[in-house]
Amino acid sequence: MLAQGNKLNVKDRLIVALDVSSIDEAKEIVKDLREHVGMFKMGLELFASAGLSLFEMMREEGINVFFDGKFHDIPNTAAQASRNITRQGVAMFNVHATGGGAMMKAAADACKETAATNKDGKRPLLIAVTVLTSISPDVLKDELQVGEEVMAYVTRLALLSKNSGLDGVVASAKEAASIRKACGDDFLIVTPGIRPQWAATNDQKRIVTPSQAIKDGADYLVIGRPITAAKDRKDAAQKILEEMETAV
Ligand code: C5P
């Protein structure tokens, strides 16, 4: 298992999002960046087109993968999916915290049991999505009928995730301090929505810089376009690592 964020070096804390639809595109980015980042995030976009060849590529290339599949189902189905994804050898995967404590516990138990039978005993980190950043406070209140403020709701779901045996959550840097206070130092916070000052914001609304995210308490940073769409990807990743280093 990977150690807690602040015990890792900055390279291990940088996760690059492979938001592409073909294995060939993913491979090209991996080839450029494999020496510069600790992990690659692959999600449903790539899985829906490439299927299991995504994991074959991962094993061939010997890279760490965060499988962003966001499982959300009845406990038995979430547990079996967790079992199967653990067998693939990913380094990290996730479930929705709103699937509830029983679902998260079933997934965490399945992940631990399955990993214990792996040759090297390594198990993936299992983290929860609390509230998608695409859900606005109005949608939370009016459509989903959640009576709490976003920060309180996210923090409560993070604590539920911790108490259900998960390793951490995906959360914006702006929520990190509240989660850290509620869940303690050993709970991982994985943070997207990162933009260096020199990069385009794209469609992200609530952004922070890499150094600010580290200062706010993020263990891992998930960064896509500022690196993958850069003219020189290696150089972009290197600049981000240098900025992260100034904040640890
Ligand atoms: O290109 P960019 O840096 O915006 O990519 C961020 C990645 O993090 C994308 O894969 C996006 O889906 C993911 N993500 C996010 N906000 C969340 C959860 C995941 O941006 N709340």
Side-chain angles (χ1 to χ4, degrees):
M1 196 180 99
L2 289 165
Q4 178 201 341
N6 56 16
K7 295 179 196 138
L8 296 169
N9 62 41
V10 287
K11 179 188 156 192
D12 291 331
R13 298 170 70 173
L14 179 56
I15 304 177
V16 165
L18 293 179
D19 292 322
V20 292
S21 291
S22 79
I23 281 287
D24 286 347
E25 284 171 279
K27 268 190 181 166
E28 198 192 306
I29 300 173
V30 166
K31 195 167 126 243
D32 277 356
L33 293 170
R34 52 178 310 134
E35 308 303 330
H36 294 77
V37 307
M39 209 181 293
F40 293 92
K41 182 171 86 71
M42 304 193 195
L44 295 175
E45 176 182 349
L46 188 58
F47 186 69
S49 105
L52 295 181
S53 65
L54 176 168
F55 303 113
E56 280 160 26
M57 186 270 263
M58 169 191 85
R59 289 187 291 265
E60 271 167 24
E61 299 286 336
I63 51 172
N64 291 318
V65 164
F66 166 16
F67 181 63
D68 187 11
K70 300 190 182 72
F71 300 154
H72 187 167
D73 214 310
I74 59 170
N76 183 59
T77 304
Q80 298 299 15
S82 300
R83 228 175 265 291
N84 290 340
I85 211 73
T86 299
R87 287 193 186 111
Q88 292 293 341
V90 300
M92 183 185 281
F93 70 100
N94 56 5
V95 297
H96 271 285
T98 45
M103 184 205 75
M104 287 196 280
K105 186 171 183 314
D109 289 348
C111 172
K112 283 169 197 163
E113 275 165 30
T114 308
T117 66
N118 282 353
K119 270 190 224 128
D120 55 10
K122 269 196 193 163
R123 77 164 176 85
L125 295 166
L126 176 52
I127 58 173
V129 175
T130 53
V131 180
L132 294 169
T133 40
S134 52
I135 303 286
S136 67
D138 282 348
V139 169
L140 199 67
K141 184 165 163 270
D142 300 334
E143 287 183 16
L144 304 180
Q145 298 278 304
V146 171
E148 277 168 305
E149 295 296 323
V150 177
M151 185 78 80
Y153 186 49
V154 165
T155 305
R156 190 164 61 74
L157 288 174
L159 191 56
L160 177 66
S161 309
K162 183 184 176 189
N163 292 338
S164 306
L166 269 68
D167 298 298
V169 284
V170 184
S172 97
K174 298 181 196 284
E175 291 148 4
S178 171
I179 293 169
R180 183 67 68 219
K181 193 162 166 234
C183 300
D185 285 344
D186 291 335
F187 197 62
L188 295 172
I189 301 175
V190 179
T191 299
I194 308 289
R195 286 294 178 274
Q197 255 152 12
W198 44 265
T201 53
N202 311 112
D203 51 355
Q204 293 282 14
K205 299 275 185 288
R206 301 190 303 144
I207 51 169
V208 298
T209 60
S211 52
Q212 190 60 49
I214 297 279
K215 282 184 202 144
D216 286 347
D219 293 295
Y220 291 86
L221 309 190
V222 176
I223 307 185
R225 288 160 291 182
I227 295 176
T228 56
K231 254 202 204 116
D232 184 337
R233 293 180 182 132
K234 290 187 179 78
D235 181 59
Q238 197 52 42
K239 276 202 283 193
I240 288 173
L241 290 174
E242 281 162 21
E243 183 181 332
M244 289 167 73
E245 197 67 64
T246 63
V248 289

